[in-house]
Amino acid sequence: MKSNNLYISKAIKLNGFSNFSHYLNTCRIENVKKLLQENDISKVTLMYIYTESGFSNQSTFNRVFKQIEGVTPSEYLTNLNIEE
């Protein structure tokens, strides 16, 4: 990006994220949630959704999802199905 790392780090922190990894994982989880709402989960796998969002394995995805959303992906899906 041809920018000073300090500027980028400061901008990330000013927007409420603790570091770049936290920002990136939040973006990935938002994409997962978007894909879950746009796709019929009975026709696509959760693996497809989390790999499309940039996660390389399920354990990392599950840990990050719970950390950011406060619920596991399966609990989120259950709540999503109840709302629909």
Side-chain angles (χ1 to χ4, degrees):
M1 291 174 51
K2 295 186 180 185
S3 182
N4 185 322
N5 290 348
L6 249 65
Y7 294 140
I8 295 171
S9 178
K10 192 170 189 171
I12 288 170
K13 289 183 181 187
L14 284 173
N15 284 291
F17 303 100
S18 56
N19 56 39
F20 179 74
S21 293
H22 181 230
Y23 167 72
L24 183 61
N25 284 333
T26 301
C27 291
R28 287 175 174 169
I29 294 300
E30 288 303 315
N31 192 58
V32 166
K33 290 170 29 180
K34 179 179 157 243
L35 290 174
L36 287 172
Q37 290 184 346
E38 290 176 352
N39 292 286
D40 183 356
I41 196 66
S42 66
K43 295 181 182 175
V44 296
T45 64
L46 190 56
M47 182 180 183
Y48 166 78
I49 288 176
Y50 71 72
T51 54
E52 279 294 304
S53 299
F55 290 99
S56 57
N57 63 59
Q58 187 171 2
S59 61
T60 302
F61 164 66
N62 288 339
R63 179 179 45 81
V64 170
F65 194 96
K66 172 116 182 175
Q67 183 181 31
I68 292 174
E69 290 298 313
V71 294
T72 64
S74 57
E75 290 170 333
Y76 181 84
L77 281 171
T78 300
N79 293 337
L80 191 63
N81 289 336
I82 289 171
E83 290 174 8
E84 292 176 353

